[in-house]
Amino acid sequence: MTTEPGSAPVSERELTEDDAALPAAAGIAETVGRVYTMAADAAASAHPGDAAEIRAITDAMVRLLIGTPLHSDGQLTIKSLAEEAGLKRNKLTHKHTGLKDLFYALVRMQDARPKAFDGLKRQNEELKTRLSGLRDEHNQLRLDVKQMARVVHVLEVENQQLRQSAGKDGVVRALPVQQRPPAGGRGSRS
């Protein structure tokens, strides 16, 4: 049940615009949580910690369903619910199975994703585009490296051939450079 210190539960105080915007699933979770808490309070002598656990779980449900997690990643999973409630997961999977089933039902009922995930789809698409570009660049660089390796190999072979043709004195002699005719014709005009 989501209450602020010194205030009444949502159902007992006037609804504000923010409260009206709460998803139906969060309202259901709060109502069911209140009922479970009253039942746990009635049976408090048998299981004294149950009421506090139920309050923590239902408060965590409401926070997750409206998209304002405080202690978890905001995903609509039992792991995140337990983390949000500050409990071990086995409290939900073995002890409070009714609350676990309620949470799953409310998640299925909810039409939209929580607010925490509003921008994630756009961000995911941007990251996919960036990843694609980086992969293309990586592949191009890989091809460039292979081409450079071939060029280095050819230069090493030519260098080795020049050393062998240099003779015993080890001096490499330059070949005479041929004169090229000027561009645009075969002969020079005078």
Side-chain angles (χ1 to χ4, degrees), residues 158-175:
E158 287 177 359
N159 195 15
Q160 184 63 28
Q161 289 173 349
L162 286 173
R163 284 193 182 128
Q164 288 174 352
S165 68
K168 294 182 182 183
D169 60 359
V171 177
V172 176
R173 295 182 193 355
L175 297 174

Short mmCIF file of all heavy atoms in Angstrom, two decimals, residues 158-175:
data_model
loop_
_atom_site.label_atom_id
_atom_site.label_comp_id
_atom_site.label_asym_id
_atom_site.label_seq_id
_atom_site.Cartn_x
_atom_site.Cartn_y
_atom_site.Cartn_z
N GLU A 158 60.43 -7.59 -53.27
CA GLU A 158 61.20 -6.72 -54.17
C GLU A 158 62.50 -6.29 -53.52
O GLU A 158 63.55 -6.25 -54.17
CB GLU A 158 60.37 -5.49 -54.55
CG GLU A 158 59.25 -5.78 -55.51
CD GLU A 158 58.41 -4.54 -55.81
OE1 GLU A 158 58.69 -3.46 -55.26
OE2 GLU A 158 57.46 -4.67 -56.60
N ASN A 159 62.46 -5.96 -52.23
CA ASN A 159 63.67 -5.56 -51.52
C ASN A 159 64.68 -6.71 -51.50
O ASN A 159 65.87 -6.49 -51.71
CB ASN A 159 63.29 -5.13 -50.10
CG ASN A 159 64.41 -4.37 -49.41
OD1 ASN A 159 65.35 -3.92 -50.04
ND2 ASN A 159 64.28 -4.23 -48.09
N GLN A 160 64.21 -7.92 -51.26
CA GLN A 160 65.09 -9.09 -51.25
C GLN A 160 65.70 -9.30 -52.64
O GLN A 160 66.90 -9.58 -52.75
CB GLN A 160 64.32 -10.33 -50.81
CG GLN A 160 65.16 -11.58 -50.67
CD GLN A 160 66.22 -11.44 -49.59
OE1 GLN A 160 66.07 -10.70 -48.62
NE2 GLN A 160 67.33 -12.12 -49.76
N GLN A 161 64.92 -9.14 -53.70
CA GLN A 161 65.42 -9.29 -55.07
C GLN A 161 66.48 -8.23 -55.37
O GLN A 161 67.50 -8.52 -56.00
CB GLN A 161 64.28 -9.21 -56.07
CG GLN A 161 63.37 -10.40 -56.07
CD GLN A 161 62.14 -10.21 -56.95
OE1 GLN A 161 61.85 -9.12 -57.41
NE2 GLN A 161 61.43 -11.32 -57.17
N LEU A 162 66.26 -7.00 -54.94
CA LEU A 162 67.25 -5.95 -55.15
C LEU A 162 68.54 -6.24 -54.41
O LEU A 162 69.64 -6.01 -54.93
CB LEU A 162 66.68 -4.59 -54.70
CG LEU A 162 65.63 -3.98 -55.61
CD1 LEU A 162 65.03 -2.74 -54.96
CD2 LEU A 162 66.23 -3.63 -56.97
N ARG A 163 68.46 -6.76 -53.21
CA ARG A 163 69.67 -7.11 -52.46
C ARG A 163 70.45 -8.22 -53.16
O ARG A 163 71.67 -8.19 -53.20
CB ARG A 163 69.30 -7.54 -51.04
CG ARG A 163 68.95 -6.39 -50.16
CD ARG A 163 68.91 -6.80 -48.71
NE ARG A 163 68.51 -5.63 -47.91
CZ ARG A 163 67.54 -5.62 -47.05
NH1 ARG A 163 66.85 -6.71 -46.82
NH2 ARG A 163 67.27 -4.52 -46.39
N GLN A 164 69.71 -9.19 -53.71
CA GLN A 164 70.39 -10.29 -54.40
C GLN A 164 71.02 -9.81 -55.70
O GLN A 164 72.09 -10.27 -56.09
CB GLN A 164 69.40 -11.42 -54.68
CG GLN A 164 68.99 -12.18 -53.44
CD GLN A 164 67.89 -13.20 -53.70
OE1 GLN A 164 67.33 -13.24 -54.79
NE2 GLN A 164 67.58 -14.00 -52.69
N SER A 165 70.39 -8.87 -56.40
CA SER A 165 70.94 -8.38 -57.67
C SER A 165 72.03 -7.35 -57.45
O SER A 165 72.73 -6.97 -58.38
CB SER A 165 69.83 -7.77 -58.52
OG SER A 165 69.35 -6.59 -57.93
N ALA A 166 72.23 -6.89 -56.24
CA ALA A 166 73.23 -5.87 -55.96
C ALA A 166 74.65 -6.40 -56.11
O ALA A 166 75.58 -5.66 -56.33
CB ALA A 166 73.02 -5.31 -54.57
N GLY A 167 74.78 -7.63 -56.00
CA GLY A 167 76.11 -8.23 -56.12
C GLY A 167 76.78 -8.34 -54.78
O GLY A 167 76.18 -8.17 -53.72
N LYS A 168 78.08 -8.59 -54.86
CA LYS A 168 78.84 -8.84 -53.64
C LYS A 168 79.12 -7.56 -52.86
O LYS A 168 79.29 -7.61 -51.66
CB LYS A 168 80.14 -9.53 -53.98
CG LYS A 168 79.92 -10.90 -54.54
CD LYS A 168 81.22 -11.58 -54.84
CE LYS A 168 80.92 -12.95 -55.44
NZ LYS A 168 82.07 -13.71 -55.70
N ASP A 169 79.19 -6.44 -53.52
CA ASP A 169 79.51 -5.20 -52.81
C ASP A 169 78.31 -4.67 -52.01
O ASP A 169 78.46 -3.80 -51.17
CB ASP A 169 80.03 -4.14 -53.75
CG ASP A 169 79.04 -3.77 -54.84
OD1 ASP A 169 77.94 -4.35 -54.88
OD2 ASP A 169 79.36 -2.88 -55.65
N GLY A 170 77.09 -5.16 -52.28
CA GLY A 170 75.91 -4.79 -51.51
C GLY A 170 75.34 -3.43 -51.88
O GLY A 170 74.48 -2.92 -51.19
N VAL A 171 75.82 -2.85 -52.95
CA VAL A 171 75.31 -1.55 -53.36
C VAL A 171 74.19 -1.75 -54.36
O VAL A 171 74.34 -2.48 -55.34
CB VAL A 171 76.43 -0.70 -53.99
CG1 VAL A 171 75.90 0.63 -54.48
CG2 VAL A 171 77.56 -0.50 -53.00
N VAL A 172 73.09 -1.11 -54.10
CA VAL A 172 71.95 -1.21 -55.01
C VAL A 172 72.07 -0.05 -55.97
O VAL A 172 72.23 1.11 -55.58
CB VAL A 172 70.62 -1.12 -54.24
CG1 VAL A 172 69.44 -1.11 -55.19
CG2 VAL A 172 70.49 -2.27 -53.26
N ARG A 173 72.07 -0.35 -57.26
CA ARG A 173 72.20 0.68 -58.27
C ARG A 173 70.82 1.02 -58.83
O ARG A 173 70.05 0.15 -59.17
CB ARG A 173 73.13 0.21 -59.38
CG ARG A 173 74.55 0.00 -58.86
CD ARG A 173 75.48 -0.42 -59.91
NE ARG A 173 76.78 -0.93 -59.61
CZ ARG A 173 77.41 -1.05 -58.48
NH1 ARG A 173 76.85 -0.70 -57.39
NH2 ARG A 173 78.61 -1.55 -58.37
N ALA A 174 70.60 2.29 -58.96
CA ALA A 174 69.31 2.75 -59.49
C ALA A 174 69.28 2.58 -60.99
O ALA A 174 70.30 2.76 -61.67
CB ALA A 174 69.10 4.21 -59.12
N LEU A 175 68.18 2.21 -61.51
CA LEU A 175 68.02 2.09 -62.96
C LEU A 175 67.84 3.48 -63.55
O LEU A 175 67.29 4.38 -62.90
CB LEU A 175 66.79 1.22 -63.27
CG LEU A 175 66.86 -0.23 -62.78
CD1 LEU A 175 65.53 -0.92 -63.04
CD2 LEU A 175 67.97 -0.98 -63.48
#
